[in-house]
Amino acid sequence: GRLVARFCQFNQNAATNFGGAIYHGAGSFTITNSTFASNTALSNGGAIQKSGTTNCVIDNCTFSDNVGRAGG
């Protein structure tokens, strides 16, 4: 599938595995003019975890205080 997010705020989200705010598997995504703050994942990807090899665009976004406990 395809994810498009514009002018969004992803704040204080938590995941028990991957991607505190967003976990995206197959497909592409575009995220613009958005904020990722204080998101947590117990594994990888404090703010975003992307698997696969499709194209993704992140433009004019702010990331602060996101934590992936195992990395990222």
Side-chain angles (χ1 to χ4, degrees), residues 22-66:
I22 296 174
Y23 174 80
H24 194 268
S28 63
F29 69 72
T30 301
I31 303 171
T32 58
N33 301 304
S34 296
T35 300
F36 293 81
S38 302
N39 299 291
T40 304
L42 293 182
S43 191
N44 296 321
I48 300 171
Q49 173 72 25
K50 170 68 175 115
S51 62
T53 59
T54 55
N55 293 332
C56 300
V57 175
I58 299 173
D59 185 40
N60 199 36
C61 293
T62 301
F63 293 83
S64 62
D65 301 320
N66 300 288

Side-chain angles (χ1 to χ4, degrees), residues 17-18 41-46 67-72:
N17 210 347
F18 301 104
L42 293 182
S43 191
N44 296 321
V67 176
R69 300 281 182 215

Side-chain angles (χ1 to χ4, degrees), residues 4-25:
V4 176
R6 296 182 185 110
F7 299 99
C8 295
Q9 291 187 17
F10 299 92
N11 300 323
Q12 298 181 336
N13 298 288
T16 57
N17 210 347
F18 301 104
I22 296 174
Y23 174 80
H24 194 268

